[in-house]
Amino acid sequence: TQLLEQSPQFLSIQEGENLTVYCNSSSVFSSLQWYRQEPGEGPVLLVTVVTGGEVKKLKRLTFQFGDARKDSSLHITAAQPGDTGLYLCAGVVLQGGSEKLVFGKGTKLTVNP
Amino acid sequence: DAMVIQNPRYQVTQFGKPVTLSCSQTLNHNVMYWYQQKSSQAPKLLFHYYDKDFNNEADTPDNFQSRRPNTSFCFLDIRSPGLGDAAMYLCATSREKRTGGTDTQYFGPGTRLTVL
C-alpha cells in the first residue's frame, strides 16, 4: 500500500509570512498532484508535477517534485488570508492500466489577517 | 458552465436506512469516481467507472454499491449505513483513465452524510 505523509497537519500563520508544506512517501509515483480544498467543497487541482526535480510556480506558490519522485513540497510566499484552506497532495499510481490517486491527509492552513 | 454536480449537498439518514447519493457531469468524461473523505482524513477511493466498466477497490465494503445508468450520471448506494459511514462523499470525473500523462480529475462539491 502506497502512503503519502503530509506535514505539518495544521498550520496557522500571519498574513505576509512564508510557509512550506511537505509530502513524503517511501514509494515512487509517476506524478504528483497538489489540490486545495475549501470547507464544504471538493478539491481543486493546483498543479501536477511529473519529472523528478521539477519545479513549478503558480503566482506565489512554488511546487517541487523530489529527484526520486517520492516526495514533494509546496512553498507559499507572503501568504494571504485567501490562501486559507486544506492542501492535499496526491500521488498518481498506475495500476492495471488505470490511474489512481493516493491522497495524503492534508495540511490545514489558516492565514490570519 | 461544465461541471460536476452532486445532490444533495447534505444528507441525513438513520442507522440502517438505505441512502442514495447522486452525481452528474456535463463534461462528457468517460471516468467517474467515488471517494469517501472522513474528517481530517485523506479522500479514499471507493470505486470508479470507466464508461460502463465498474472497478471496485479491494477494501471497499460490500455495503457500498454504485450504478452508472448513462455517461452523465453515477449513483452511490449505501445499503445499510452505519455510524462509521458518516463522511463527505466526493464524486470526480476524468476524460480518460490514462492519456500518456496524468489526466486531471474534476471533483464535485461533495455530499456530507450524517448517520443518526
Side-chain angles (χ1 to χ4, degrees):
Chain A
T1 303
Q2 285 138 313
L3 294 173
L4 275 170
E5 299 288 339
Q6 274 190 251
S7 62
Q9 192 174 352
F10 299 96
L11 189 56
S12 180
I13 60 172
Q14 294 300 121
E15 182 176 1
E17 293 183 359
N18 302 332
L19 66 113
T20 302
V21 175
Y22 299 93
C23 181
N24 296 294
S25 176
S26 58
S27 303
V28 176
F29 294 98
S30 59
S31 60
L32 194 139
Q33 299 183 324
W34 284 91
Y35 290 81
R36 180 164 164 259
Q37 185 177 20
E38 299 200 32
E41 301 293 331
V44 174
L45 180 66
L46 296 174
V47 78
T48 301
V49 284
V50 179
T51 307
E54 183 177 4
V55 177
K56 280 191 174 178
K57 290 194 175 184
L58 186 66
K59 296 183 180 177
R60 292 177 293 101
L61 278 61
T62 302
F63 304 86
Q64 186 162 7
F65 201 13
D67 291 340
R69 305 205 323 273
K70 293 182 179 181
D71 53 82
S72 182
S73 64
L74 157 61
H75 182 79
I76 302 179
T77 304
Q80 298 176 1
D83 296 327
T84 294
L86 178 68
Y87 289 83
L88 294 159
C89 66
V92 179
V93 176
L94 299 176
Q95 204 172 78
S98 294
E99 277 190 352
K100 297 181 182 179
L101 294 178
V102 175
F103 281 91
K105 287 188 177 182
T107 293
K108 191 169 184 180
L109 172 65
T110 303
V111 182
N112 302 299
Chain B
D1 290 336
M3 55 175 47
V4 181
I5 303 163
Q6 290 190 245
N7 285 305
R9 295 291 307 275
Y10 301 91
Q11 176 72 58
V12 180
T13 191
Q14 292 180 332
F15 182 93
K17 185 174 180 182
V19 66
T20 294
L21 309 183
S22 169
C23 178
S24 64
Q25 53 121 346
T26 59
L27 297 159
N28 203 33
H29 282 174
N30 285 320
V31 194
M32 295 186 78
Y33 308 80
W34 279 104
Y35 290 85
Q36 179 192 63
Q37 186 180 23
K38 295 187 178 181
S39 182
S40 301
Q41 294 189 22
K44 179 182 177 299
L45 182 63
L46 296 173
F47 25 60
H48 74 276
Y49 273 96
Y50 178 66
D51 196 9
K52 295 181 180 179
D53 183 24
F54 178 70
N55 298 272
N56 198 29
E57 292 300 298
D59 56 355
T60 297
D62 293 339
N63 198 27
F64 291 87
Q65 303 285 321
S66 186
R67 297 170 284 134
R68 190 178 185 187
N70 54 53
T71 300
S72 301
F73 284 87
C74 194
F75 300 99
L76 169 61
D77 300 308
I78 308 177
R79 293 193 298 189
S80 182
L83 298 178
D85 296 328
M88 172 78 87
Y89 289 88
L90 296 164
C91 173
T93 74
S94 67
R95 189 179 56 222
E96 288 290 342
K97 286 166 96 171
R98 185 181 181 186
T99 57
T102 295
D103 205 4
T104 299
Q105 289 190 22
Y106 295 85
F107 284 83
T111 294
R112 183 162 294 283
L113 177 67
T114 300
V115 182
L116 301 177

